[in-house]
Amino acid sequence: MDTRAPEVPCGDVLQNAVYFQAENLLQELEEHFRALTTTLNLRMEEMGSRIEDLQKNVDDLMAQAGIENSVKEQMT
């Protein structure tokens, strides 16, 4: 009687299939990461623009209220 484990004729095929599946998954994750990074960068730029606009509006309101100089003097 032969007690050796049976050879799997499609072992290499199965191993290659798993390898290519892992490669595809890695590529998909990389694409999602790039898309997420792009989205975050765009939102950060948008937030920076909004903060600059807000600062300009605050400066304009302070100038209209006549307190621009007193605040600047307190900061120095």
Side-chain angles (χ1 to χ4, degrees):
M1 241 189 190
D2 192 0
T3 58
R4 289 181 287 162
E7 290 186 24
V8 180
C10 62
D12 289 337
V13 174
L14 182 60
Q15 187 177 9
N16 287 338
V18 169
Y19 174 78
F20 287 119
Q21 187 69 18
E23 281 290 316
N24 288 339
L25 180 60
L26 186 60
Q27 286 177 345
E28 287 179 28
L29 287 172
E30 189 174 340
E31 290 172 12
H32 287 293
F33 182 77
R34 284 186 186 145
L36 179 62
T37 301
T38 300
T39 300
L40 287 174
N41 285 335
L42 289 173
R43 288 187 179 175
M44 288 176 59
E45 288 175 12
E46 182 180 326
M47 187 182 295
S49 295
R50 288 181 178 184
I51 290 172
E52 289 173 2
D53 290 344
L54 180 61
Q55 182 64 47
K56 183 182 178 302
N57 289 335
V58 168
D59 290 344
D60 289 347
L61 288 172
M62 289 174 65
Q64 289 174 9
I67 57 173
E68 180 180 26
N69 290 336
S70 61
V71 172
K72 287 184 180 178
E73 288 171 2
Q74 290 176 1
M75 293 178 72
T76 57

